[in-house]
Amino acid sequence: MPSLTRVPRTARKPTDDRRAEFETRVLAAVEDLLADGTPFTEIAVQKIAAASGSARSTFYRYFPDKSRLLIRMAELATTDLFAAAESWWSAEHTDQQTGVVLAMRAMIGGFRDHRYLLLALTEVGSYDREVGAYWRARVATFAELVRVRLETEQAAGRVGRQLDPRATALILTSMVERTISVAFAAETGVGEDALAESLGRAIWLVIYGDAP
């Protein structure tokens, strides 16, 4: 006779679905705790587990420590944030500054939605080797995408020969990442629309300002 309490194997959620659901709850819990002003380093694992409605043992099954937790949460939070910019860098640049401004607006919006987590990532990454290495690698991957595109534009004659693709990619990537972080870390008096417009203009002029 079938068990009345055991869930049939065919009715159980796939492992990937259960993990995704758990990670979504943890992300929301961590962001809520950070929004209260508590530094990430002071948030206990037990508190995160309780806020996400899970057991401490379940938490450690997925995250061996808080560094891995922050890295995974950052991966989830930055997926959409980087997607808009990566889409613009992969598209044809025939619309003057409009496309890059829209990409900046999407990035700024994505940062706003997860600002407490991403500001914590920046802070912890300054002294946690594992977290710092993750974020530098993520930014470097984006910078490499920019470098390749700049070289392509230069080879096609759409970018000035004096532009150094590798150095310019580093400058643009660092400028955007640092500018958005500063804008949300303190009151600057700069609105999101003005920030997007100015970043878009700066990026466009650096790339195409002295084009043939």
Side-chain angles (χ1 to χ4, degrees):
M1 180 177 178
S3 170
L4 298 178
T5 57
R6 181 178 300 171
V7 178
R9 185 176 298 275
T10 55
R12 296 176 187 170
K13 290 184 179 180
T15 301
D16 288 348
D17 289 347
R18 291 199 303 272
R19 182 183 182 99
E21 181 182 300
F22 173 72
E23 289 180 341
T24 299
R25 294 203 318 269
V26 171
L27 174 60
V30 170
E31 292 189 320
D32 285 344
L33 292 169
L34 289 170
D36 290 339
T38 306
F40 181 78
T41 53
E42 296 179 14
I43 300 177
V45 168
Q46 181 59 46
K47 196 168 186 178
I48 297 173
S52 62
S54 57
R56 182 174 177 146
S57 58
T58 304
F59 178 91
Y60 280 118
R61 186 188 313 155
Y62 291 99
F63 308 112
D65 53 50
K66 284 174 63 179
S67 293
R68 291 302 308 169
L69 164 68
L70 185 56
I71 289 171
R72 180 55 184 154
M73 294 300 98
E75 288 174 343
L76 296 175
T78 58
T79 297
D80 293 337
L81 187 150
F82 279 106
E86 289 170 349
S87 177
W88 183 77
W89 281 103
S90 301
E92 289 299 318
H93 297 172
T94 58
D95 57 354
Q96 298 298 316
Q97 299 172 34
T98 305
V100 67
V101 170
L102 290 176
M104 290 301 101
R105 282 180 180 161
M107 287 194 75
I108 292 167
F111 199 103
R112 182 203 337 107
D113 292 342
H114 301 287
R115 59 191 179 280
Y116 301 112
L117 177 72
L118 296 177
L119 289 173
L121 177 72
T122 302
E123 177 194 349
V124 176
S126 65
Y127 54 79
D128 185 297
R129 182 176 300 178
E130 189 174 8
V131 174
Y134 156 74
W135 187 239
R136 287 191 298 273
R138 182 64 184 90
V139 174
T141 298
F142 185 79
E144 180 63 12
L145 169 70
V146 176
R147 180 192 67 80
V148 171
R149 179 54 187 268
L150 291 176
E151 289 183 346
T152 301
E153 292 289 273
Q154 198 170 58
R158 292 187 288 267
V159 169
R161 298 303 304 174
Q162 66 272 35
L163 181 144
D164 185 307
R166 187 176 299 278
T168 303
L170 174 62
I171 291 168
L172 292 178
T173 303
S174 300
M175 175 184 73
V176 172
E177 189 250 353
R178 186 59 184 159
T179 299
I180 295 177
S181 294
V182 169
F184 282 96
E187 180 55 53
T188 62
V190 179
E192 292 185 19
D193 285 342
L195 190 65
E197 291 283 347
S198 298
L199 277 174
R201 174 177 167 78
I203 292 169
W204 186 271
L205 290 177
V206 167
I207 300 171
Y208 299 108
D210 56 0

